[in-house]
Amino acid sequence: MIIFPAIDLFEKKAVRLYKGRYDEMTVYSDNPPEIALDFKKQGASHVHIVDLEGAKYGSTPNFEVVCAIKEQSGLFCEVGGGVRSEETVEKYISAGIDRVILGTAAVEDEDFLISCVKKYGDKIAVGADVKDGFVMMDMASPVLIAKMEDIVELDRLYDIMGSEYDQSIGLNPYLISTGLPDIMMPVGSREELANLAPDMKLLSDLSAKYKVTGVHAFTLDAAEGVTCHCRNFAPLYDIDEEAATGTSNGALTYYLYLTGKIKAPARLKIVQGEAMNRPSVIMTSITEDPETGAVSIKVGGRAVILAEGEINL
C-alpha cells in the first residue's frame, strides 16, 4: 500500500476546507513545498496535490507552486483540480509532474479521457468524490431558463401528464438545466405522482416546443428521511420513463433552492423509479459561494450490477 499525504492549494498556500466549503478555509502554510519536504522526512514517497482554486475556476493558478513542490521535494507528485483540457494535462506532464488526475471532465467528455489515456498512459488517473458510498459528480452550472406562469400553458402541461394543475400547492413548473434542460413539474402527493400517465406523443411534441429533454415530475410529500420523490419522462428521446436521472435531479435541487424549499449548503435524498419497480436513491448537494453567490451542485448514486458475462472478440 502507498499512502499519499495531501496538499490542497489556494492562492499559493496550503489550506484545508471544512466539508468542501470555500468560506470555511484554514490556511496551514504559506510555503507548500516545505510541507512536502516534511512529508518526505516522515517517510512519504508520494504526495497528492489538489489545486482548489483551479477546481473552482477551471484554470492553473497554482502551477508554479505545484512545480516547486516537485522540484524541491523530489516526491512522486500527482495533481488534480481544474484539469479540463489536454493543454493543461500537457502543461503539468511537461513540467515533470508524475500523474495528472481528471475529474468530472473525464465523465462529461469521453473523447478527452480516451485521448489523454492513449497519449499519456499511466500518467493519467480519474478521481471520484465519494460520500457515504455514493460517487458524486459535479453538474454544469445551473441555469433557470424560464418559469411557467401562463394558466393555459400550465393546464396544457398537466393535462398531457394525466393530471390537473393545482395552484394550492404554491409551486409552478420551471425550465432548468444543469447540463440538460428539463421542466420541473411539482405535484401535490405521492399518489398523484404515481398516477401520472403522460400522453407520450403529446409530451414529445411539448418537449420539442420548449426545447427541453423532458419533464421531471416530483412531490415533496416524501417518506421519512427523503427530500422528494420523482419521475422522469423523455419520450422525445425515446425514453418513456427513466429510473435514475442525474442531470434532472441536479436541476430539481436548484429548483428547490430557487423556490426557498432548501438553503445552501444542503444535502438531499431523492427517490426515483418507484413506478417502474426500479427504485433508485440519488443524493445531491448544493453549495453557494459566499463572495459571488454562485451555486455549485453535485449529484451521486450507487452502481448496481444487473448482469455479468464475457464478450469474445
Side-chain angles (χ1 to χ4, degrees):
M1 177 186 291
I2 299 174
I3 296 175
F4 284 73
I7 300 175
D8 292 350
L9 301 174
F10 195 92
E11 295 182 345
K12 298 178 171 52
K13 300 173 183 177
V15 304
R16 274 290 185 271
L17 305 183
Y18 177 70
K19 294 186 176 180
R21 296 185 54 166
Y22 283 83
D23 60 332
E24 295 193 38
M25 180 186 298
T26 301
V27 176
Y28 283 94
S29 174
D30 293 329
N31 191 342
E34 203 170 70
I35 299 289
L37 285 168
D38 187 51
F39 288 157
K40 187 174 184 178
K41 288 177 183 177
Q42 296 182 55
S45 57
H46 296 61
V47 64
H48 174 80
I49 306 167
V50 180
D51 187 341
L52 294 174
E53 209 172 349
K56 188 175 184 181
Y57 300 114
S59 55
T60 56
N62 292 284
F63 177 74
E64 292 179 1
V65 179
V66 173
C67 293
I69 290 172
K70 174 62 181 177
E71 291 168 6
Q72 294 181 36
S73 72
L75 295 171
F76 179 102
C77 291
E78 62 176 27
V79 63
V83 182
R84 299 169 191 170
S85 70
E86 281 198 53
E87 290 77 15
T88 301
V89 174
E90 173 69 27
K91 184 177 180 180
Y92 277 125
I93 291 178
S94 295
I97 301 306
D98 300 285
R99 182 183 294 148
V100 177
I101 301 170
L102 310 182
T104 301
V107 179
E108 294 179 339
D109 188 344
E110 186 177 352
D111 291 339
F112 167 57
L113 172 61
I114 292 171
S115 177
C116 287
V117 172
K118 282 184 176 179
K119 190 171 183 180
Y120 301 108
D122 60 6
K123 289 183 179 291
I124 300 296
V126 176
D129 292 338
V130 180
K131 177 71 173 178
D132 298 330
F134 287 78
V135 177
M136 305 298 289
M137 186 176 78
D138 289 315
M139 294 289 98
S141 298
V143 177
L144 171 62
I145 300 168
K147 299 180 181 181
M148 294 185 68
E149 297 175 332
D150 182 87
I151 189 64
V152 175
E153 292 184 351
L154 291 167
D155 284 340
R156 176 66 172 159
L157 169 63
Y158 280 81
D159 182 61
I160 288 173
M161 296 299 294
S163 185
E164 293 184 6
Y165 172 59
D166 182 3
Q167 192 173 8
S168 68
I169 66 175
L171 294 170
N172 275 1
Y174 287 7
L175 280 65
I176 293 177
S177 173
T178 53
L180 295 173
D182 278 302
I183 298 174
M184 301 294 113
M185 190 188 104
V187 298
S189 68
R190 274 181 277 171
E191 181 181 5
E192 185 178 352
L193 183 70
N195 289 334
L196 291 177
D199 182 314
M200 294 301 175
K201 174 62 171 68
L202 293 179
L203 179 54
S204 181
D205 293 342
L206 188 76
S207 299
K209 173 186 173 182
Y210 286 112
K211 298 180 180 178
V212 297
T213 304
V215 169
H216 199 61
F218 72 93
T219 181
L220 293 173
D221 171 30
E224 184 177 353
V226 176
T227 307
C228 51
H229 299 259
C230 64
R231 297 177 68 183
N232 186 274
F233 306 93
L236 180 62
Y237 295 92
D238 297 320
I239 304 172
D240 285 352
E241 184 166 1
E242 192 166 35
T245 318
T247 53
S248 299
N249 284 303
L252 175 55
T253 301
Y254 190 52
Y255 175 95
L256 297 175
Y257 168 82
L258 291 175
T259 55
K261 297 300 180 182
I262 61 171
K263 293 182 179 180
R267 184 169 165 81
L268 285 62
K269 181 178 181 179
I270 301 170
V271 178
Q272 183 180 335
E274 293 166 300
M276 305 171 67
N277 293 317
R278 291 171 54 194
S280 301
V281 176
I282 298 100
M283 304 299 294
T284 71
S285 66
I286 181 169
T287 56
E288 181 182 310
D289 189 307
E291 296 179 4
T292 65
V295 166
S296 297
I297 294 172
K298 290 187 176 185
V299 174
R302 287 193 176 104
V304 176
I305 297 174
L306 298 177
E308 290 186 63
E310 294 183 359
I311 299 176
N312 297 310
L313 300 176

